[in-house]
Amino acid sequence: MMRNYQVAAKPFTFDFDLEKTALIIIDMQRDFCEVGGFGEALGNDVTPTKSIIPTVKKILDLARDKDMFIIHTREGHRADMSDVVKAKKRRSSAIGEVGPMGRILIRGEYGHGIVKELTPINGEVILDKPGKGAFYQTDLQLILENKGIESLIVCGVTTHVCVHSTIREANDRGYECLMIEDGTATFDPRDQEASIRMINQQGGIFGWTTTSDELIKGLK
């Protein structure tokens, strides 16, 4: 049964069938949202990424109420670090180092886990990825194809890195993406502003953007 919805968005209204839409929450992990993790190890203030947790929680709760298909992603690596490409390790030397929440960006460590407010529940996909984009070296496309997904609503961090990479990958694969402006964050507000503009410019070259309020209004 089709469940068609419309959300006011930039550059124009986002139309979608809820039965063919997934909410994908990108990398809302302690390593990116809490003190002592990877984000801070890179020299960042994690306040902006931590601050969107209540907004993402509000969207997640509504998606659950609507029985949407929900995917949580986590960036991280194997304990032996055999899946860390040399170029990434060279530019992000903190990967694998011991921090306050365990080894940084390593699967199974406390810092690698999703923040408690957004803890996945049974039936929600948890997708571990070794790179920035959620399609790289994962079975995300297979999952989406098996569920008949055509549209993605995207939240998470960081907007200009993992969120953007995922939306760009999805765009090339034919998925229509709606990015939630206040449900995503960067460590630098200049990056956030630029990231939003790059998604919806030129008639929606990579997709649409909207606010959580508009999304909730449209879904209700």
Side-chain angles (χ1 to χ4, degrees):
M1 181 179 68
M2 294 180 64
R3 291 192 288 168
N4 293 321
Y5 288 83
Q6 292 185 329
V7 173
K10 301 171 187 175
F12 53 86
T13 302
F14 182 71
D15 299 286
F16 60 102
D17 178 354
L18 202 65
E19 298 291 338
K20 298 179 180 180
T21 302
L23 172 66
I24 181 165
I25 301 176
I26 306 290
D27 300 359
M28 290 299 291
Q29 301 161 248
R30 299 182 187 95
D31 263 330
F32 295 110
C33 299
E34 295 185 4
V35 173
F38 183 59
E40 190 180 58
L42 294 175
N44 300 300
D45 175 8
V46 297
T47 302
T49 55
K50 187 179 182 68
S51 70
I52 68 167
I53 293 174
T55 299
V56 178
K57 177 68 163 61
K58 185 166 55 175
I59 294 168
L60 176 59
D61 287 343
L62 181 57
R64 288 169 173 168
D65 288 342
K66 292 287 185 179
D67 294 322
M68 286 184 65
F69 186 56
I70 297 168
I71 300 169
H72 305 258
T73 75
R74 301 184 298 197
E75 182 181 354
H77 297 280
R78 299 175 182 275
D80 64 3
M81 296 178 58
S82 59
D83 60 347
V84 183
V85 296
K86 292 180 180 178
K88 182 178 184 180
K89 175 61 176 172
R90 185 170 63 248
R91 298 191 308 273
S92 303
S93 58
I95 297 174
E97 298 299 315
V98 177
M101 295 185 288
R103 295 178 68 206
I104 292 174
L105 223 62
I106 297 298
R107 296 175 187 176
E109 299 288 337
Y110 184 72
H112 179 257
I114 293 169
V115 296
K116 65 179 180 179
E117 295 91 338
L118 305 175
T119 301
I121 61 176
N122 288 340
E124 296 175 357
V125 173
I126 301 174
L127 187 81
D128 285 319
K129 58 189 183 69
K132 297 172 176 63
F135 288 89
Y136 172 69
Q137 297 293 329
T138 75
D139 53 2
L140 177 57
Q141 184 159 0
L142 176 62
I143 292 169
L144 296 178
E145 288 175 351
N146 285 342
K147 298 297 291 188
I149 299 298
E150 297 177 355
S151 303
L152 301 175
I153 296 173
V154 187
C155 302
V157 298
T158 55
T159 319
H160 62 314
V161 183
C162 294
V163 172
H164 244 263
S165 295
T166 298
I167 289 176
R168 287 169 183 248
E169 289 178 330
N171 179 74
D172 281 342
R173 288 166 171 79
Y175 297 100
E176 296 194 323
C177 299
L178 175 66
M179 190 183 86
I180 310 305
E181 297 174 8
D182 56 331
T184 54
T186 64
F187 299 116
D188 186 327
R190 295 171 298 180
D191 292 331
Q192 181 71 7
E193 180 182 354
S195 297
I196 292 169
R197 186 171 62 253
M198 282 191 285
I199 293 293
N200 63 41
Q201 68 176 323
Q202 299 179 48
I205 191 166
F206 292 118
W208 291 256
T209 70
T210 193
T211 64
S212 59
D213 285 344
E214 290 294 346
L215 175 65
I216 291 168
K217 186 189 303 182
L219 283 173
K220 287 184 176 179

